[in-house]
Amino acid sequence: MHFYCGRILRVDLTEGRVSTEPLRTEWLERYIGGKGLFLRYLWEELVPGTDPLGPDSPIILATGPFAGTCVSTCSRLLVGFKSPITGTIVDSYVGGSYGSEMKYAGYDLIVIKGRAAEPVAVSIVDDDVLLVPASQAWGWTTSATERWVREWAGRDTRVLSIGPAGENLVPWACISTDQYHKAGRGGGGAVMGAKNLKAVSVRGTGGVSVPHIREFMADTQRMHREYLLVDAHMWAHTDGTPVLVDPVNGAGAMPTRNFSGGEFAGAGNINSEAFQRYRVRKRSCYQCVLSCRNYHVIDDVSCEGPEYETIALCGSNCGIDDIGALTRFHVACDELGMDTISTGAVVGLAMDLTERGVADYGVRFGDVEGYLAAPAAIASRSGIGEALALGTRVVAQRSGLPELAMQVKNLELPGYDPRGSFGMSLAYATSDRGACHMRAYPVSDEILSGLLAADTLKGKAQYVLNGQNSSSLRWTGIFCDFWFPDADQISQLMRHVWQRPVSADELMAVGERIWNLGRLLNLRERPAVEPDDLPAPLLERSLDNGPAAGNIISRVAFHEALQEYYELRGWSRDGVPGERKLKDLDVDVRLQPEREVA
Amino acid sequence: MARVSVDTRKCTGCHQCEIACSAWHEGQFRPSLARLRVEADPASGKVRAFACTQDRCGKCRDACPEGAIKTRSVPVKVSSGTIQCTVLVVEPDECTGCGVCVDVCPLKVIFLHPDTGKAVKCDLCDGEPQCVLACQNPLVQAVELRPDQPARVG
């Protein structure tokens, strides 16, 4: 078939069995691919209440229709699972080359379940799928694991792997590919570790077919010229995400010293200009002409990144403006296989508690030595890591200051303090996986374009809703936010897929349908999934410094905006999608009616 | 006279050239059958690239026991107009799939097609090299049609 392989792979690690089956093509018009297809499969694959670290918990790798084609940014891979941190669904995205290679091997989706008795790697070469003993690699870093897999599977093999953090079930352990690309958030690495699954490698020699391929190529190249390789996006090539440091810090929204301040005095030492001094090379994800990845050599460390979120959470939030130390910390997290957002957040919290004298983790804001020792301690759960690996919420509770944990649904906040960008409060609270900047991004207009006032929630419910619907649509592709194609641009590509006229409105309905399906999945996991809320200080207290100091979101304003959001969504006051909305959107699943109490 | 050349200092390893090459020749996106090859090491970020140098090398043509690899002159479109280029083309009817050309190719950019068993290689896409068109980022432009140095006379 065109654009899709029409086939999925199933791996049962308990039984050591692999099988293939046809893709459920009847879902494609409703859900397209990527996020939509993942959620629809997860609805069938995940038994409500399943322990995320238990054998029955699935990991799903999903691609979109454009993976493996010439459409830029669409090599992205979705790694999906039920999160050990939040108990919610998590769809985590990663660039690199894995998504394209999976399609060349002939799989749109891979569903992995079970638990191997001993550490294993799954090796996929086209139709040949093997479970390879991986005990010798257990304990190895992500780069050593990739090198090891390439030795026996071949140089062109793409590898997903975990590091020691995933093996030790650190809740925010991530999944690594092409060494520096991470499916970062939500703890996919721990889900793999719990399955004794060290790596999944793939090599494909097949192809992806599309109708009228020469016309499709010409049309895609036109879109690249008109929409992608234009001034609005070239920052990703010339600077990359470190470009965000100056505007976000300038708006007073840069997390500083465990979210106590919004302006970091040392920002100039870790901004785009600072990193450009050490830049040696640009790299691309597979099939992407934008090429946003930056290689740096700083002191004796050579690496790709860090990206903005790492700079914010592991830099300013820890009071660190030493670019060499920050880069070292970033590389340590990459090698150990840990999300830098959650790692930076918990280290920042440990510094805060130590400074306050309520606990002693031996780390203080700006102290490079203790800071650099933290990642290894956390990944191995030794020393201070034994406590810190429990996450900000538990660490703060143990010290009697639960309000110091900056998390939503137990997932730590990324690099935007909502007091400097009010819309982010609603974006974090209503995200489908806890505090996340990748679902709706009011920063874009509250800070970057400056088109919207940052210190009000007025009008933000609609803004956040639109953002969530359109991100859900983009991640069917799976498009990257450095392109950020709108529904009209995506419709120009979907015409080739559906071989009929496609409207932007029709596609926005797909996005809304997907967001509602995600909501149903999370509601199905109640009561483990917590209500939409924010830590009290973010609503009630002002930042200590910076241009946003003095701004208070207020609990009343937040709850008004949340109710407005539910109403606009067609959801109940408790945030449950109404039957009418689900019917209008043609969502094809329903929650079981709650059992009546006799 | 010109050939496809990849500047590995500029190349960011997106593989669009291989993708486009396979689309043109294979009718599907199947870069494992691309007639040029880019290897991008994720650890170092470094890129290596291999593209046929046509008759500057000529080893495949010279080694072919059937004489199935021909020297042809084709007009090739470039930004400034059209230039005449020399390409080495495999004549499929004459190729027996013996693989001698594969063995002698220093860059491994000629190979036996898995479906037909016959040798395939870069032919500059009937005068519109798709790899060059696909290298779209104006700040990268690593794949280009590089004119050969004029042969020294005397």
Side-chain angles (χ1 to χ4, degrees):
Chain A
M1 64 189 291
H2 290 308
F3 287 97
Y4 301 89
C5 305
R7 186 169 73 147
I8 78 166
L9 175 68
R10 282 184 185 277
V11 179
D12 181 335
L13 296 169
T14 307
E15 304 288 332
R17 199 171 48 212
V18 297
S19 60
T20 60
E21 65 190 43
L23 179 71
R24 297 281 293 263
T25 49
E26 70 273 24
W27 289 339
L28 297 182
E29 283 260 337
R30 271 201 189 86
Y31 298 110
I32 300 176
K35 180 165 186 154
L37 215 47
F38 156 64
L39 293 177
R40 189 61 188 81
Y41 268 90
L42 193 68
W43 184 270
E44 309 293 330
E45 301 291 333
L46 178 70
V47 177
T50 299
D51 173 6
L53 299 181
D56 296 334
S57 182
I59 294 185
I60 297 180
L61 309 179
T63 61
F66 304 113
T69 73
C70 58
V71 182
S72 276
T73 81
C74 292
S75 59
R76 290 174 79 73
L77 175 76
L78 181 157
V79 182
F81 48 89
K82 178 178 168 180
S83 167
I85 302 177
T86 62
T88 63
I89 53 164
V90 164
D91 42 321
S92 186
Y93 298 85
V94 61
S97 42
Y98 203 93
S100 314
E101 198 74 25
M102 230 174 95
K103 294 279 285 286
Y104 299 144
Y107 307 102
D108 297 301
L109 256 84
I110 299 176
V111 181
I112 303 172
K113 282 188 184 173
R115 182 177 192 276
E118 300 288 334
V120 292
V122 177
S123 163
I124 303 164
V125 183
D126 296 325
D127 290 348
D128 298 326
V129 184
L130 296 171
L131 300 187
V132 177
S135 294
Q136 68 176 108
W138 208 248
W140 289 0
T141 62
T142 54
S143 68
T145 305
E146 278 201 20
R147 276 198 303 276
W148 171 67
V149 173
R150 287 206 184 88
E151 272 167 28
W152 51 260
R155 190 176 48 202
D156 294 331
T157 305
R158 319 298 180 183
V159 186
L160 281 184
S161 72
I162 60 168
E167 298 166 8
N168 295 326
L169 309 183
V170 173
W172 58 90
C174 65
I175 298 174
S176 186
T177 186
D178 284 2
Q179 184 140 348
Y180 296 111
H181 295 258
K182 311 287 161 179
R185 304 225 73 193
V191 178
M192 274 180 70
K195 296 186 174 310
N196 264 329
L197 178 57
K198 181 67 177 172
V200 185
S201 70
V202 66
R203 171 77 180 123
T205 61
V208 176
S209 296
V210 309
H212 315 295
I213 195 162
R214 291 185 182 185
E215 287 81 357
F216 178 73
M217 251 199 324
D219 200 26
T220 302
Q221 287 174 2
R222 171 192 64 82
M223 294 185 65
H224 287 165
R225 268 194 309 275
E226 288 180 14
Y227 306 132
L228 179 63
L229 298 168
V230 294
D231 288 347
H233 301 299
M234 287 307 271
W235 63 267
H237 181 86
T238 54
D239 292 77
T241 56
V243 79
L244 290 167
V245 170
D246 286 344
V248 177
N249 192 54
M254 187 144 169
T256 301
R257 294 171 166 252
N258 194 29
F259 288 86
S260 61
E263 186 178 50
F264 183 50
N269 298 326
I270 50 174
N271 64 5
S272 181
E273 214 182 331
F275 277 101
Q276 299 223 23
R277 286 186 209 118
Y278 301 97
R279 189 153 302 163
V280 292
R281 195 169 288 114
K282 296 292 302 185
R283 275 292 308 276
S284 299
C285 289
Y286 202 91
Q287 82 189 55
C288 181
V289 296
L290 190 55
S291 66
C292 70
R293 311 292 295 184
N294 300 308
Y295 277 68
H296 300 111
V297 175
I298 302 180
D299 302 332
D300 56 340
V301 177
S302 166
C303 67
E304 191 182 315
E307 301 289 347
Y308 169 75
E309 306 302 327
T310 308
I311 296 171
L313 272 298
C314 306
S316 55
N317 197 50
C318 293
I320 296 286
D321 68 346
D322 176 334
I323 196 168
L326 169 59
T327 305
R328 229 172 260 279
F329 188 97
H330 153 69
V331 170
C333 290
D334 272 7
E335 289 286 10
L336 296 163
M338 286 193 294
D339 173 28
T340 51
I341 296 179
S342 290
T343 308
V346 80
V347 172
L349 171 66
M351 290 170 162
D352 196 356
L353 294 170
T354 306
E355 299 265 3
R356 287 168 193 258
V358 296
D360 185 6
Y361 291 103
V363 284
R364 290 173 181 277
F365 290 124
D367 153 40
V368 167
E369 198 185 331
Y371 164 80
L372 286 178
I378 294 170
S380 61
R381 292 176 172 263
S382 60
I384 61 168
E386 196 181 341
L388 298 188
L390 299 170
T392 55
R393 181 184 276 180
V394 175
V395 170
Q397 269 167 356
R398 282 188 177 179
S399 291
L401 294 167
E403 69 275 14
L404 291 186
M406 292 303 166
Q407 44 71 39
V408 171
K409 299 183 174 71
N410 204 24
L411 187 72
E412 285 78 11
L413 260 65
Y416 314 92
D417 193 305
R419 289 165 291 187
S421 178
F422 276 24
M424 290 308 289
S425 66
L426 200 57
Y428 290 152
T430 60
S431 143
D432 51 10
R433 63 173 193 180
C436 171
H437 59 292
M438 300 286 294
R439 301 297 180 267
Y441 192 64
V443 168
S444 176
D445 286 314
E446 290 182 335
I447 294 179
L448 303 180
S449 78
L451 289 172
L452 296 177
D455 59 354
T456 174
L457 277 168
K458 216 172 147 81
K460 302 296 164 60
Q462 185 70 51
Y463 187 97
V464 166
L465 177 158
N466 290 347
Q468 292 165 342
N469 291 352
S470 60
S471 69
S472 298
L473 170 64
R474 287 195 300 282
W475 298 334
T476 62
I478 301 169
F479 294 90
C480 169
D481 278 1
F482 296 170
W483 180 351
F484 218 87
D486 61 21
D488 177 62
Q489 293 170 24
I490 296 174
S491 76
Q492 295 174 42
L493 285 164
M494 285 308 295
R495 256 168 240 167
H496 295 275
V497 180
W498 286 342
Q499 292 286 297
R500 62 171 173 78
V502 179
S503 73
D505 287 346
E506 172 183 9
L507 289 180
M508 282 308 289
V510 173
E512 189 178 2
R513 181 180 305 136
I514 291 169
W515 191 262
N516 276 269
L517 175 58
R519 186 74 180 184
L520 293 182
L521 266 155
N522 279 338
L523 290 169
R524 208 171 67 164
E525 297 295 329
R526 280 178 308 183
V529 170
E530 298 163 19
D532 303 333
D533 204 356
L534 277 196
L538 297 179
L539 298 175
E540 294 163 359
R541 274 188 226 156
S542 159
L543 286 159
D544 290 346
N545 73 358
N551 291 353
I552 290 177
I553 296 173
S554 104
R555 189 159 284 281
V556 173
F558 171 76
H559 280 288
E560 273 175 13
L562 185 64
Q563 283 306 322
E564 184 191 352
Y565 168 88
Y566 288 159
E567 202 169 308
L568 289 167
R569 278 244 173 254
W571 296 357
S572 74
R573 292 186 63 79
D574 300 326
V576 179
E579 175 56 31
R580 199 165 135 200
K581 175 54 83 177
L582 295 176
K583 209 169 163 209
D584 281 355
L585 289 172
D586 197 18
V587 176
D588 58 342
V589 300
R590 294 290 184 276
L591 290 171
Q592 297 283 331
E594 288 186 36
R595 208 168 292 162
E596 303 217 1
V597 182
Chain B
M1 300 271 282
R3 60 202 163 92
V4 168
S5 160
V6 182
D7 185 336
T8 53
R9 288 163 308 177
K10 293 183 189 168
C11 175
T12 62
C14 76
H15 300 270
Q16 278 276 358
C17 52
E18 294 173 293
I19 293 168
C21 175
S22 66
W24 184 265
H25 291 102
E26 300 294 327
Q28 58 177 336
F29 297 111
R30 192 177 178 187
S32 64
L33 298 184
R35 276 63 164 162
L36 80 170
R37 202 168 76 253
V38 171
E39 294 171 3
D41 177 45
S44 67
K46 287 184 182 154
V47 173
R48 301 204 304 162
F50 308 89
C52 178
T53 59
Q54 309 297 349
D55 72 339
R56 267 171 65 103
C57 165
K59 288 195 171 70
C60 57
R61 174 196 55 203
D62 300 345
C64 179
E66 308 296 326
I69 299 175
K70 317 285 187 191
T71 307
R72 297 257 165 80
S73 181
V74 296
V76 174
K77 282 184 198 161
V78 292
S79 51
S80 56
T82 301
I83 57 173
Q84 208 62 29
C85 291
T86 305
V87 290
L88 304 184
V89 181
V90 181
E91 203 54 67
D93 291 342
E94 297 177 33
C95 174
T96 61
C98 69
V100 168
C101 55
V102 180
D103 295 338
V104 300
C105 177
L107 301 178
K108 300 296 169 217
V109 287
I110 188 166
F111 58 92
L112 300 184
H113 195 285
D115 299 341
T116 64
K118 293 179 188 290
V120 289
K121 68 175 291 299
C122 172
D123 61 2
L124 298 183
C125 305
D126 304 332
E128 271 186 286
Q130 298 298 305
C131 49
V132 177
L133 292 175
C135 190
Q136 281 191 288
N137 189 328
L139 300 180
V140 178
Q141 302 219 314
V143 186
E144 46 186 14
L145 200 69
R146 196 156 93 192
D148 284 332
Q149 298 295 322
R152 218 174 275 248
V153 181

